[in-house]
Amino acid sequence: MTDNSLSVRESVGTAPAISIRGVTKRYAGATNAAVDSLDLDIAQGELVVFVGPSGCGKTTTLRMINRLEDPTAGSIHVNGTDVTEIDPAELRRSIGYVIQQGGLFPHQSVATNIGCVPRLLGWPKARIRERVEELIELVRLDPDLLDRYPSSLSGGQQQRVGVARALAADPPILLMDEPYSAVDPVVRAELRHELRSLQERLAKTIVFVTHDIDEAIDLGDRIAVFKTGGHLAQYSVPTELLARPDSQMVEDFLGADRTLRRLSLLTVTTAQLEPATATTPPLTIEASFSLRSTLDALLANATDLATVVDLDGSVLGVITLDAIAQIASGDPDSEPVRPWAAPRRKR
Amino acid sequence: MIAAQGPDSLIWWDWVGRHGDEILHKTLEHIYLTAVAVGIGLILAVMLSVCALRFNWTRSPIVWTSGALYGIPSLALFGFLVPITGASVLTAEIALVSYTLLVLVQNLLAGIEGVSPAVRDAADGMGYTASRRFISIEFPLALPQFITGLRIATVTTVGLVTVAALVGHGGLGDFINDGLKRNFSTPIMVGVIGSILLAVIADAAFVLLQWLTTPWLRRARR
Amino acid sequence: MNSLKDLIDFLATWSNWTGPNGILIRTFNHLAISVVAVLVASVIALPIAIVLGHRRKGGFVAVAAANLGRAIPSLAILALALPLSIKYGFGLGAAPTLVALVILAIPPLFANTYTGVASVEPALVDAARGQGLTEWQALRQLELPLSAPFLMTGVRIALVQVLATAALGALVAFSGLGSFIIEGFAQFDDGKTLTGALLTAVLAVSAESVLSRVQRRLTPWVDEYQ
Ligand SMILES: Nc1ncnc2c1ncn2[C@@H]1O[C@H](COP(=O)(O)OP(=O)(O)O)[C@@H](O)[C@H]1O
Ligand SMILES: [Mg+2]
């Protein structure tokens, strides 16, 4: 392995990107374990969200993956290699790490910040510069910002720089610890959207920590709900989590409107559509609408029928309140569809 | 002089014993010189701070001037003063007072300006007049910072009084000066230990004062 | 006004500038001993302060150093250094002065450097480790540059204090700018006294302003950062 390559590479095949086995973490002097016999596999290319109340061990788990903390017991493998066999600094250079407000170095320009890991890896200057310019475009920042200091950027811009820095050496894995908690809700939604599309383009394995269940549902391919004491309460895809919470704790955590939330993850076409008849209902719904928006439209128009049309206007069928109710009351295996994924799917 | 210990010894205790009255007298003089300097400094600093807060344009000249005074080495300041005011108590006090100003003004301003705008707003919202607000809200909140300033000024002055021995009014510093002139270590030790003790006691006294006057800052016992 | 005339007369006499007790040599002595004292004190204080700051351990030492530096009068340190210096055969003049100046310079250097390194946000150091910086790299590339303003403040305070106290070195027969003042007092020579006072003050004030400027030049991000 040469000096300027990453120690962790994407492995071929279907082995999990990260595998956590029987991991317990007890901080010195603490009576209770921060993380308690945790078993968790994270598949290649998946965006997994750790969610749960504050203090339940999400950050600790994340930090054990890149060895900012070492487990008291158990083992962690990244792409098949036990992390304790890799030098911590080297391991971390091959795993992107993003924290709140990006954790940017205030005394370095944006460009220097982004080039941090490539510099550590000894890349030549020209290549670093080139990579930095590539990244700034990838995270949709104005190249004029490259020579500015982080403190002169907005929260959202800082966060984008943080992501660019984490991606600089093209690591296969990205760890993100509550990266958006200091950003206002509008920018937050935008950043989430961008992260999602970034992940679909780059196929990174991303572990994302948040305490916000909405953020988790919005982002995650798979969600790990932690409960106090460092236990894993449930690990499922969002729709299943919403349809079948394992325990009272998860149910409470999901909130009273979990059914509506699940409907917002499903498009109208996942429901059983009735064949269109000669007299189609006057209310029309586009196929990319979520079931929740459809329900909203039906209620607002005091009707129980609507015509579902394709983007080009051709009629696909008729959606009924009954069909939505059927989905709402069960059928957890229906595939989640996200608003931003919908256009891709059309192509 | 007959030594109780060998001539090598840094301190001859029988000398100390024989000069008990003088030591007491010089200690009191030291305290007096310090108290007068800090007292006058305090009055001036309060006036200057009020002026700086009331008339904003006077703020930087006031801070700048007290900073410049503070920056002049003590011996140099005595050097400037002696040709004018001679080797007198006045010279000593002018120098000592001028060193207290910066610390006191800075801490007064920082204390009052550090009162959170929310607290100020709340007071205004409840109908406090500006002077009422100053007396019952801003001043008490600025008190810890203010006492910190007093503490630093006092401890520094205790040390500087020793230098005033050069103009003949140095409290315990007179022992140091005397010892240096005669190359005799016993009075040096008496002056050094005495002035350090005074500084430490003054420091502790202010810590206590701060604790007593700011009950809201005490950490609640579990 | 008479004193002012004395001052001008003294400065206008060429022989007061040259010779073994002239303005030139005494200014040089004064500056040289101060710079050497700060350098020696830095070599002693900085490594310990940096290591303790990096580990965020021993904050009480920094606080104690700052308080002690204030509580011990500089004249007392100088006066203490004299009998010790004589006892151990280093004699009068430069040796006890240097010792006193070094001791005097340590507390501000130590306290400011420690505070600077220890006050770098832990989350930031953590982010640096998370990017794969080693401890040494995190110290070199992050903590030291970020604490540079504090470190420079320490150097500035130490140097200004040392320059002021070097004048008092005249009391232990060190031939610096303070000697003009002490001799002027003894000889009732206002011109000489004022010359010493003026040069000592100018030296201290210029050191302060030069170092402030250097500090700002070295840390361009500070205005925006804080
Ligand atoms: N460095 C540490 N030393 C001691 N205890 C810690 C440390 N970091 C976290 N903890 C404790 O471990 C538990 C889990 O913390 P953390 O992993 O940060 O939770 P989360 O990220 O889910 O909020 C908490 O009880 C917290 O107080
Ligand atoms: Mg956390």
Side-chain angles (χ1 to χ4, degrees), chain A residues 27 34 53-60:
Chain A
Y27 285 104
S54 140
C56 64
K58 309 177 297 284
T59 296
T60 303

Side-chain angles (χ1 to χ4, degrees), chain A residues 2-250:
Chain A
T2 61
D3 238 357
N4 60 9
S5 75
L6 298 178
S7 57
V8 172
R9 275 269 138 232
E10 262 155 274
S11 66
V12 267
T14 51
I18 300 165
S19 153
I20 298 172
R21 284 282 164 271
V23 161
T24 295
K25 173 70 185 182
R26 201 179 295 278
Y27 285 104
T31 40
N32 298 319
V35 175
D36 199 5
S37 13
L38 181 69
D39 288 300
L40 192 71
D41 276 349
I42 294 167
Q44 298 279 355
E46 264 197 342
L47 200 169
V48 171
V49 179
F50 292 178
V51 70
S54 140
C56 64
K58 309 177 297 284
T59 296
T60 303
T61 306
L62 194 77
R63 289 164 58 87
M64 287 191 289
I65 297 171
N66 67 356
R67 289 194 67 190
L68 282 170
E69 305 288 352
D70 280 325
T72 315
S75 69
I76 298 178
H77 286 73
V78 170
N79 288 339
T81 315
D82 188 333
V83 290
T84 54
E85 283 165 17
I86 310 172
D87 171 68
E90 221 171 277
L91 173 77
R92 291 172 200 152
R93 286 169 202 176
S94 57
I95 298 178
Y97 183 55
V98 186
I99 59 170
Q100 207 185 91
Q101 287 171 335
L104 302 179
F105 304 157
H107 63 306
Q108 294 180 349
S109 68
V110 167
T112 316
N113 261 291
I114 298 178
C116 177
V117 178
R119 249 192 337 277
L120 290 172
L121 294 170
W123 289 17
K125 274 213 173 77
R127 184 168 163 217
I128 296 177
R129 185 78 208 176
E130 209 173 287
R131 179 67 180 148
V132 166
E133 275 160 14
E134 213 175 286
L135 285 159
I136 204 95
E137 208 162 300
L138 187 72
V139 298
R140 310 233 227 132
L141 273 176
D142 184 350
D144 287 348
L145 298 181
L146 280 176
D147 295 320
R148 301 253 293 263
Y149 287 114
S151 55
S152 67
L153 306 188
S154 71
Q157 289 171 328
Q158 290 184 5
Q159 211 48 63
R160 288 186 169 95
V161 175
V163 171
R165 179 173 73 172
L167 288 171
D170 202 18
I173 297 171
L174 210 56
L175 307 179
M176 307 178 80
D177 192 356
E178 308 218 5
Y180 305 150
S181 50
V183 194
D184 69 76
V186 176
V187 179
R188 230 172 134 142
E190 198 177 308
L191 288 168
R192 282 207 294 257
H193 194 126
E194 280 172 23
L195 178 67
R196 197 63 224 188
S197 71
L198 207 72
Q199 196 245 1
E200 267 159 38
R201 262 180 297 160
L202 304 176
K204 300 288 177 199
T205 305
I206 300 179
V207 186
F208 188 106
V209 169
T210 179
H211 59 255
D212 177 354
I213 184 66
D214 290 317
E215 187 159 81
I217 291 169
D218 192 13
L219 265 181
D221 288 326
R222 205 172 282 276
I223 297 175
V225 183
F226 283 66
K227 64 182 175 203
T228 314
H231 303 281
L232 187 60
Q234 188 166 358
Y235 187 37
S236 324
V237 297
T239 44
E240 189 189 326
L241 188 73
L242 290 164
R244 290 193 213 145
D246 268 359
S247 59
Q248 193 61 43
M249 179 263 155
V250 175

Side-chain angles (χ1 to χ4, degrees), chain B residues 8 10 71-73 75-76 78-80 82-83 151-152 155-156 159 162-163 166 176-177 180 183 185 188-189 192 195-196 199, chain C residues 3 67 70-73 75-76 79-80 82-84 86 164 167-168 171-172 178 181-182 185 190 193-194 197-198 200-201 204:
Chain B
D8 254 8
L10 280 178
I72 301 176
L75 186 56
F78 286 125
F80 286 128
V82 166
R151 177 179 157 202
I152 296 174
V155 173
T156 314
T162 58
V163 181
L166 296 176
I176 300 179
N177 196 30
L180 287 174
N183 196 3
S185 63
I188 293 181
M189 295 307 292
V192 165
S195 55
I196 293 176
Chain C
S3 312
N67 283 337
R70 215 179 292 125
I72 301 182
L75 182 63
L80 272 182
L82 179 69
L84 290 174
I86 291 175
L168 291 174
L171 296 173
V172 297
I181 304 172
I182 300 294
F185 283 168
D190 286 355
T193 302
L194 286 174
L198 189 66
T200 311

Side-chain angles (χ1 to χ4, degrees), chain C residues 59-72 104 106-112:
Chain C
F60 67 96
V61 184
V63 175
N67 283 337
L68 208 67
R70 215 179 292 125
I72 301 182
L104 201 73
I106 288 176
L109 284 169
F110 183 90
N112 281 283

